[in-house]
Amino acid sequence: MVITKNRLVLGATVVTLSTIAVTSLGIHSRGQALFKASPKELVDEVWQIVQRQYVDGTFNQVDWQAVRNEYVKNKSYSNQQEAYKSIREMLKKLDDPYTRFMDPGEFKNMQVDTSGELTGIGITISQDEKTKQLVVIAPIEDTPAFKAGVLAKDVILKIDDKSTKGMDTNQAVSLIRGEAGTQVSLTIQRNGQTKQFNIKRARIEIHPVKYSQKQTPAGNLGYIRLNQFSANAGKEMQAAIRDLETKKVSGYILDLRGNPGGLLFSSIEIARMWLNQGTIVSTIDRGGEREREVANGRALTNKPLVVLVDKGSASASEILSGALQDNKRATLVGTQTFGKGLVQSVRPLEDGSGLAVTIAKYHTPSDRDINKHGIDPDVKVDLSDAQRQDLWLNERDKLATLKDPQFAKAVEVMGKQLAAKGTATAEK
């Protein structure tokens, strides 16, 4: 996501399952305004926003003017609930799961994504564009869903006893969310097999950055694990790099595995800590206009860098890893990333509800469109689901050690880079 002066823009279309609303980050709800739109005016407001901003000028081959005739000109409304129903029907015609309406309660809950604290089970979800199934982007590390064994790419078939067929992310969130200490049951499909998880909801405090020194065959390395691109991720990343620099590490391993993304501006801020020059990301609107974010010459270190990625690395993680890869600043090790390359603007509406609308797509510095594909690592190291579950849940003491195959390969790659750097220095 990126926060601008008058709206919130999502770099990933994900929903964090939680109950705490955050309104201090550039989102100003007009639900308390003296003037409140009539139901028909609310429907028209949504239509107008899509008309002005939607990324595809053909509206995905939909006659958007005819949609206005159907839902605004030729229809009357007696209450807000009727308007909400029509708005959802209207948006469904776009066949874009990321352009979605949120009633006032859903909108408040959606705003938690950047707070660093939430109540829920700790997963991010999306709707698959082709199958329309609800898919787990990634569980947030050390949360109830993570500890229960939910994995990236799991398909959610049922929430408690309710089928998710035809269900959107807002509906799913309202069913999964609840009071701390209560339980929710998720029926998951994974590799053709069905599993059931009974998960107790909890209050979760998220610290996006964890770091340490690692004594390895490649030398004294700095290891930084980034779990989420929240509002305070940049500050914590800066502190981690500066502390590790005082410890004279030879190079860094940045772990983005299972990081579902978050704030776009956070990924740009962090990219600038590693890059002195070059493009970080380009966003492209429906008119083909590009906005480029670039490095500002203030990198905190120029030491060798290896980045760990996997299929749970999404959105802001892909922006950061793509920028580092394309600028040849880092070597990516692991597996293909999730593939989220769309940008959503989240707008407050007159009655306190909200609208997320796809307004742009983003490309990496080499002009790659990674939507639906993801980023391919420079060095591929596959793990089976069983290996991942053992590593991340059952045998956590092996994580980021030489018994972690992806970390071990990162150390090997780092060793070669440091050796080559030493040779080059000696030849000068």
Side-chain angles (χ1 to χ4, degrees):
M1 309 174 209
V2 63
I3 293 173
T4 64
K5 289 182 180 178
N6 57 7
R7 66 183 185 270
L8 170 69
V9 179
L10 302 179
T13 307
V14 298
V15 178
T16 302
L17 303 178
S18 53
T19 61
I20 298 176
V22 177
T23 58
S24 61
L25 296 173
I27 306 169
H28 301 288
S29 173
R30 292 175 288 176
Q32 303 301 316
L34 293 175
F35 170 77
K36 289 190 178 181
S38 71
K40 178 172 281 195
E41 287 171 331
L42 185 67
V43 178
D44 194 32
E45 182 183 8
V46 170
W47 185 91
Q48 294 286 354
I49 292 171
V50 174
Q51 167 75 6
R52 291 192 303 267
Q53 295 190 349
Y54 193 69
V55 65
D56 181 356
T58 73
F59 302 95
N60 292 345
Q61 310 303 314
V62 172
D63 185 340
W64 198 240
Q65 191 62 51
V67 170
R68 186 171 191 267
N69 292 338
E70 179 182 356
Y71 288 97
V72 180
K73 289 188 175 180
N74 302 328
K75 196 166 184 178
S76 60
Y77 301 93
S78 59
N79 57 58
Q80 297 296 99
Q81 294 306 316
E82 289 181 3
Y84 295 168
K85 182 180 177 183
S86 281
I87 289 169
R88 289 190 167 105
E89 289 176 0
M90 185 170 69
L91 295 178
K92 192 170 285 188
K93 292 180 182 291
L94 291 172
D95 197 27
D96 174 4
Y98 311 121
T99 294
R100 67 192 192 278
F101 171 78
M102 293 159 279
D103 65 30
E106 291 167 341
F107 184 50
K108 282 185 178 180
N109 290 327
M110 176 266 171
Q111 295 171 33
V112 73
D113 284 357
T114 65
S115 71
E117 186 177 308
L118 55 90
T119 302
I121 64 170
I123 61 173
T124 53
I125 65 173
S126 181
Q127 189 178 55
D128 187 277
E129 291 182 66
K130 290 184 179 179
T131 68
K132 307 304 180 187
Q133 291 178 307
L134 292 175
V135 180
V136 176
I137 292 182
I140 300 171
E141 191 171 345
D142 293 328
T143 61
F146 180 91
K147 293 173 182 176
V150 176
L151 297 176
K153 298 286 188 178
D154 280 349
V155 176
I156 303 175
L157 299 178
K158 289 183 181 180
I159 302 168
D160 289 327
D161 294 324
K162 188 175 181 63
S163 170
T164 61
K165 187 173 182 180
M167 187 181 293
D168 65 20
T169 54
N170 291 326
Q171 293 170 299
V173 168
S174 66
L175 290 173
I176 296 174
R177 184 181 295 118
E179 295 295 323
T182 60
Q183 187 169 280
V184 63
S185 174
L186 298 184
T187 303
I188 296 291
Q189 185 179 65
R190 181 188 301 163
N191 296 330
Q193 296 185 327
T194 301
K195 300 173 179 286
Q196 184 169 319
F197 297 90
N198 297 313
I199 306 171
K200 184 179 287 188
R201 302 174 178 100
R203 192 174 184 87
I204 302 161
E205 186 175 352
I206 301 170
H207 291 288
V209 175
K210 298 178 181 178
Y211 71 98
S212 60
Q213 286 185 88
K214 298 282 187 181
Q215 300 300 328
T216 75
N220 179 27
L221 302 181
Y223 171 77
I224 303 177
R225 166 105 185 111
L226 180 60
N227 297 316
Q228 191 179 43
F229 290 84
S230 59
N232 57 343
K235 183 179 179 180
E236 291 193 17
M237 178 65 71
Q238 182 183 72
I241 296 172
R242 285 180 170 167
D243 187 39
L244 289 168
E245 283 291 289
T246 67
K247 293 176 169 56
K248 308 298 183 185
V249 296
S250 301
Y252 290 87
I253 296 175
L254 175 60
D255 195 344
L256 298 179
R257 292 177 293 180
N259 183 327
L263 292 169
L264 176 58
F265 84 79
S266 179
S267 69
I268 293 166
E269 180 184 17
I270 290 172
R272 287 173 174 154
M273 296 178 194
W274 300 99
L275 283 169
N276 254 327
Q277 59 184 13
T279 297
I280 295 170
V281 66
S282 297
T283 56
I284 307 161
D285 66 16
R286 76 179 180 196
E289 291 294 321
R290 287 178 180 254
E291 286 190 17
R292 285 196 319 139
E293 297 289 346
V294 299
N296 58 10
R298 297 177 183 175
L300 300 179
T301 179
N302 62 0
K303 290 174 181 172
L305 174 63
V306 176
V307 179
L308 292 172
V309 294
D310 66 6
K311 62 184 179 181
S313 307
S315 182
S317 288
E318 293 170 302
I319 289 172
L320 176 58
S321 55
L324 296 172
Q325 184 184 56
D326 284 2
N327 283 288
K328 302 190 185 306
R329 176 64 182 89
T331 302
L332 270 55
V333 172
T335 58
Q336 186 180 30
T337 62
F338 191 88
K340 282 289 174 188
L342 299 175
V343 181
Q344 280 72 44
S345 169
V346 177
R347 297 286 298 270
L349 303 173
E350 290 290 352
D351 71 337
S353 57
L355 175 69
V357 57
T358 302
I359 62 166
K361 56 185 177 180
Y362 68 75
H363 286 189
T364 70
S366 64
D367 211 27
R368 285 184 292 169
D369 180 355
I370 60 90
N371 195 48
K372 300 182 184 180
H373 178 81
I375 293 174
D376 296 306
D378 300 299
V379 180
K380 189 173 182 180
V381 182
D382 277 321
L383 296 180
S384 68
D385 285 336
Q387 282 179 305
R388 290 181 71 238
Q389 188 159 346
D390 282 342
L391 185 63
W392 289 88
L393 293 172
N394 304 331
E395 299 177 307
R396 289 291 300 279
D397 58 325
K398 293 183 179 178
L399 190 67
T401 72
L402 296 180
K403 293 182 180 179
D404 173 347
Q406 292 171 330
F407 180 85
K409 177 57 73 170
V411 171
E412 179 186 327
V413 169
M414 179 64 70
K416 291 177 181 178
Q417 290 185 6
L418 290 171
K421 184 179 178 182
T423 301
T425 301
E427 289 175 351
K428 286 186 179 178

